Amino acid sequence: MIPIRGTFQEHELHSESPEFDHLLHCVPDVESATEAYSAAGLPAHANPPYLGFRNGAWRLDARYVEILSVVDRTEFNDSPFGQAMTAWMPHVDALLAAGGGALNFAVHVTDVNTTADRLRQAGHTVDLHVFAREGSPVSFTEAVLQDAPAWAPFFITYTPDRQVILDRYSAGRVARGPHDLAGFVIETPDPAAASVWLGELLGIPADRARNVVPLPDAEVHFTPGPADAITTLLLAEGTPPSTSIAGLDLRPLDTVPPQD
């Protein structure tokens, strides 16, 4: 069972303002995966490789699904991204070998340093990583837990603010399409315990009747099963597809069965 390390007061939730930021989808080939997203009605783009890493995204607004792969392991391992992702790489490699799948997700907070301090005080082991691409006006800091399930969130704060980044630098890449991301599903052996654990981590009480953590901008649904991984994107608006792309299912939110 996942240990619960402490409870957080309501004022902490308000000061940190946790919101869904993005989800990481590891794929063997970014180009073909972004084409599959677009064909499913989720317009996605692919970026050029950088430091042995390649990514793309289905960008909705400040939120997005990052579609990523490693294209040159030696170059990537020596890069700031590779060094920061060292603990994640066994999971990334397993996903790539299996044809792809979701790794984890990022939660935007007001000040990631404050969040990291709070998590450490609750007994967690947390690493901080700062990313600043040379010549770019954008940087971001991530707080990554080292004592959590592979699907667990990491926390992120941008400089400048992510809405400013969206308006100034990313507006031309926002093409949400007819559908919205309503949430995602984590399959885990003990959904009740996992939902409570995540709720405690975020400072957002879990809906115990549904095993759902109502994270703003993307609810986190837990369902029983052995995968212990993010398995499904839940889509709303329009007529969302029911399909699978590189190991990640996509389905309408209204198809989620109620919990027993």
Side-chain angles (χ1 to χ4, degrees):
M1 179 178 292
I2 298 172
I4 299 172
R5 301 196 177 244
T7 58
F8 310 130
Q9 301 301 315
E10 186 177 2
H11 71 86
E12 292 175 304
L13 168 61
H14 289 168
S15 65
E16 293 184 21
S17 300
E19 298 175 327
F20 174 80
D21 191 83
H22 66 282
L23 181 143
L24 275 59
H25 183 187
C26 300
V27 300
D29 181 74
V30 170
E31 194 77 44
S32 61
T34 55
E35 290 174 357
Y37 267 82
S38 297
L42 316 177
H45 66 272
N47 298 316
Y50 176 68
L51 297 179
F53 177 79
R54 190 177 190 193
N55 70 356
W58 171 41
R59 179 171 280 283
L60 298 99
D61 37 50
R63 303 165 298 149
Y64 60 101
V65 174
E66 182 175 4
I67 304 157
L68 61 101
S69 193
V70 176
V71 295
D72 184 320
R73 180 55 62 93
T74 300
E75 185 178 18
F76 176 74
N77 287 346
D78 291 336
S79 74
F81 295 102
Q83 293 170 15
M85 290 176 62
T86 297
W88 293 352
M89 289 313 295
H91 306 292
V92 172
D93 288 338
L95 290 171
L96 296 179
L103 177 64
N104 55 22
F105 62 104
V107 172
H108 181 268
V109 290
T110 305
D111 181 353
V112 76
N113 293 287
T114 298
T115 299
D117 289 344
R118 187 258 294 170
L119 293 171
R120 288 171 178 148
Q121 290 172 11
H124 291 284
T125 302
V126 183
D127 291 341
L128 283 171
H129 304 283
V130 180
F131 300 93
R133 186 168 179 171
E134 185 176 356
S136 173
V138 174
S139 65
F140 54 94
T141 304
E142 295 178 353
V144 179
L145 278 74
Q146 299 300 319
D147 56 346
W151 51 258
F154 58 101
F155 298 84
I156 190 166
T157 301
Y158 297 88
T159 303
D161 179 79
R162 64 177 183 165
Q163 187 61 46
V164 173
I165 296 171
L166 179 69
D167 294 341
R168 290 183 183 174
Y169 309 112
S170 301
R173 295 212 168 175
V174 176
R176 192 190 80 176
H179 313 306
D180 195 8
L181 178 65
F184 51 94
V185 177
I186 298 175
E187 180 185 304
T188 187
D190 191 340
S195 64
V196 170
W197 179 86
L198 180 62
E200 293 286 350
L201 187 76
L202 300 178
I204 302 175
D207 180 341
R208 298 194 183 201
R210 300 189 300 140
N211 292 332
V212 172
V213 176
L215 175 65
D217 292 331
E219 290 191 332
V220 186
H221 295 243
F222 289 86
T223 190
D228 209 25
I230 298 168
T231 60
T232 307
L233 298 184
L234 298 175
L235 306 175
E237 300 187 10
T239 305
S242 291
T243 188
S244 182
I245 299 174
L248 181 61
D249 291 339
L250 285 66
R251 71 185 193 204
L253 175 64
D254 60 14
T255 64
V256 177
Q259 294 287 328
D260 293 333

